[in-house]
Amino acid sequence: MLLVRLAVALALLAVGASAALAATLVHQRWWGLVLGLAAAALATYALPRGGRRFAFMLGWFGAITYALLPRTEGDYLIAASGSGYSLIGGSFLLFLTALTTLPRPGSSRRSGGDDQGLLEG
């Protein structure tokens, strides 16, 4: 059971990174920015609270952060423009949403809540 949960978390991490890469490549067009952030927001809210949501957004935010690093040619994948800052800001807000919906340390599974740890549920 633990291996299944770990596989789900790793798959969501990869899906989040892939979706962020796609959003990074089309964010310069207005429809690409809207589509990328809307897809990330809908996926974030569709996933259950806790570990699954956090795994997806960790993949997303990790890929966005990687895209901010300078490339060997000296340019960037995310430019210092309105659409670039919107992508970064929207990604940060979605990451904070996923982070704040993680269960609190010390909360038990028997509390009746629907909080889930990274590998639970």
Side-chain angles (χ1 to χ4, degrees):
M1 194 62 143
L2 180 63
L3 289 177
V4 172
R5 292 178 181 163
L6 184 60
V8 168
L10 289 175
L12 286 170
L13 190 75
V15 168
S18 300
L21 176 63
T24 299
L25 294 177
V26 297
H27 82 278
Q28 289 295 332
R29 302 191 189 323
W30 70 269
W31 55 266
L33 177 66
V34 171
L35 182 65
L37 287 176
L42 290 174
T44 301
Y45 292 115
L47 289 167
R49 293 176 55 191
R52 292 178 187 163
R53 182 183 291 177
F54 185 71
F56 174 81
M57 278 315 298
L58 187 63
W60 173 278
F61 197 68
I64 294 292
T65 303
Y66 183 74
L68 288 172
L69 299 174
R71 297 177 22 185
T72 56
E73 297 87 15
D75 55 350
Y76 296 89
L77 286 175
I78 300 176
S81 63
S83 61
Y85 288 130
S86 297
L87 181 66
I88 295 166
S91 298
F92 187 68
L93 287 175
L94 289 172
F95 182 73
L96 285 179
T97 300
L99 190 63
T100 57
T101 58
L102 283 174
R104 287 178 288 188
S107 64
S108 68
R109 285 186 70 171
R110 289 178 255 143
S111 66
D114 58 30
D115 292 339
Q116 299 171 353
L118 182 59
L119 299 176
E120 296 181 14

